[in-house]
Amino acid sequence: MHEEHKRYFKLTGRSRIDKSINSLLGIIEGIAIDSEINASEVDFLHLWLEDKLELRDRHPFNELIPVIEQALADRVLTEDEKNDIVWLCERLTSNEFYDQVTTDLQRLHAIVGGIVADTSISEQELRGLSDWIGDHEHLRGCWPYDEIGSLVTTVLVDKVIDEQEHEMLFRYFSEFVALLDSKTITNAPISNGESVVGLCAVCPEIEFQERTFAFTGASARYTRRKLAETVSDLGGHVASGPGKKVDYLVIGADGNPCWAFACYGRKVEKAVELRKSGVRIMIIHESYFHDAVLDAGKG
């Protein structure tokens, strides 16, 4: 870094964090814009992750990185995992230093980068990008919104992307592959964090027969598959997430109490909303789940 830039670097910690998270959001949107995520696109997401590994102990990367690592462990990014990452990003992003226009432009840059991540641009991806552009007309007059919109519209006129058009799109979109934000964060804001205490039931009575369980967070003891097998062996059912027919949401114990949002998660938020609407769903800590399994003779 140039010596002249160092004095400004300390003053832009929050804005650089925002840019990193907005870029991640854009990458996720870009690689999933055609409703399919292939191996090359997962590799592209790995690049963002690798670039931030040295920041894994700093907020907010101490929340984001474990979630992304867990999602990519099997080299497959499911719809549920994608939604978890997007949910967390949206809660960690702040517009305090950047207005909505700047935020959305950062996302647009990363979206087109995500689209070219696998070196192939499909008609479905372009139509998804065209829809995004249509939903963000407040960016009109801002580079590169108009340019990208015009280019996409021109290519989609005949509903075919020929070799010459693909090369043109690829060259242009590749200019916006912005993964290398600053690699060092100075004076990053520290969150006091919160706790899941108060959300979970205390000493709950847990039944398994014909009951439905959903799990969220990392377990300190078992894999998600093992947890599902345990519930099935005891006569219960497993759902992918909270819903009106889910009886218990089990929160994994392997969380960081200093996290501001990751200790809760999208599924916990949904379960709380369901409870407020009158759905009888019980949120329980993993330790109570294991106690219940032992009592049932399956521990």
Side-chain angles (χ1 to χ4, degrees):
M1 181 186 298
H2 193 281
E3 287 295 322
E4 286 296 314
H5 296 163
K6 287 185 177 180
R7 57 177 174 170
Y8 300 107
F9 194 70
K10 293 182 179 180
L11 304 176
T12 59
R14 180 70 254 179
S15 63
R16 284 180 286 107
I17 289 173
D18 285 349
K19 182 178 180 182
S20 292
I21 297 176
N22 287 329
S23 293
L24 176 60
L25 272 171
I27 291 168
I28 294 292
E29 289 178 294
I31 65 178
I33 208 163
D34 58 352
S35 300
E36 295 181 5
I37 301 175
N38 59 42
S40 296
E41 291 169 331
V42 169
D43 286 339
F44 189 72
L45 185 54
H46 267 290
L47 290 178
W48 184 96
L49 181 63
E50 290 170 4
D51 186 54
K52 303 295 182 292
L53 284 180
E54 64 184 68
L55 303 174
R56 65 176 303 123
D57 294 327
R58 303 247 186 148
H59 180 79
F61 300 102
N62 62 334
E63 300 197 45
L64 270 174
I65 289 177
V67 173
I68 297 172
E69 286 178 332
Q70 184 177 354
L72 297 182
D74 57 359
R75 297 196 57 77
V76 176
L77 186 67
T78 66
E79 179 72 12
D80 204 40
E81 290 168 337
K82 183 203 79 172
N83 290 338
D84 281 339
I85 295 172
V86 170
W87 180 92
L88 183 54
C89 284
E90 288 175 344
R91 275 148 186 78
L92 292 173
T93 302
S94 166
N95 290 333
E96 184 179 356
F97 290 86
Y98 279 81
D99 59 19
Q100 192 61 47
V101 170
T102 304
T103 296
D104 287 338
L105 284 174
Q106 289 174 353
R107 290 177 70 170
L108 176 59
H109 285 203
I111 285 171
V112 294
I115 288 175
V116 297
D118 61 351
T119 71
S120 176
I121 304 172
S122 68
E123 179 188 346
Q124 190 172 1
E125 286 176 322
L126 279 193
R127 294 203 176 281
L129 177 57
S130 179
D131 291 341
W132 191 95
I133 289 172
D135 292 335
H136 294 77
E137 292 190 348
H138 61 283
L139 298 178
R140 286 194 182 280
C142 300
W143 182 88
Y145 175 89
D146 295 333
E147 290 78 1
I148 291 176
S150 176
L151 191 59
V152 170
T153 299
T154 301
V155 172
L156 287 176
V157 166
D158 60 0
K159 300 180 180 180
V160 176
I161 305 175
D162 61 35
E163 186 174 345
Q164 185 176 358
E165 289 173 332
H166 189 279
E167 178 66 13
M168 175 182 62
L169 287 168
F170 184 79
R171 285 180 179 275
Y172 192 74
F173 285 7
S174 294
E175 294 178 9
F176 302 104
V177 180
L179 289 177
L180 298 178
D181 302 326
S182 300
K183 289 192 174 183
T184 305
I185 291 206
T186 306
N187 294 336
I190 304 298
S191 168
N192 290 328
E194 298 181 55
S195 169
V196 295
V197 174
L199 283 176
C200 298
V202 179
C203 298
E205 292 186 9
I206 302 173
E207 299 178 5
F208 291 92
Q209 193 68 34
E210 296 302 319
R211 295 292 190 269
T212 300
F213 291 75
F215 295 88
T216 186
S219 169
R221 193 177 303 184
Y222 297 127
T223 64
R224 190 65 59 84
R225 177 177 294 181
K226 177 63 177 177
L227 290 170
E229 289 176 354
T230 300
V231 170
S232 296
D233 290 344
L234 291 170
H237 310 284
V238 176
S240 60
K244 294 182 179 180
K245 296 183 179 180
V246 173
D247 300 289
Y248 305 99
L249 174 65
V250 182
I251 299 179
D254 200 17
N256 186 334
C258 295
W259 289 347
F261 292 104
C263 60
Y264 282 86
R266 180 175 57 90
K267 292 178 181 177
V268 175
E269 183 180 80
K270 183 176 179 180
V272 171
E273 291 174 356
L274 287 169
R275 276 201 322 203
K276 289 179 179 178
S277 68
V279 175
R280 299 189 65 177
I281 179 172
M282 188 178 293
I283 303 174
I284 59 176
H285 192 272
E286 181 186 358
S287 59
Y288 288 120
F289 172 84
H290 293 309
D291 288 344
V293 170
L294 286 172
D295 291 341
K298 290 289 183 179

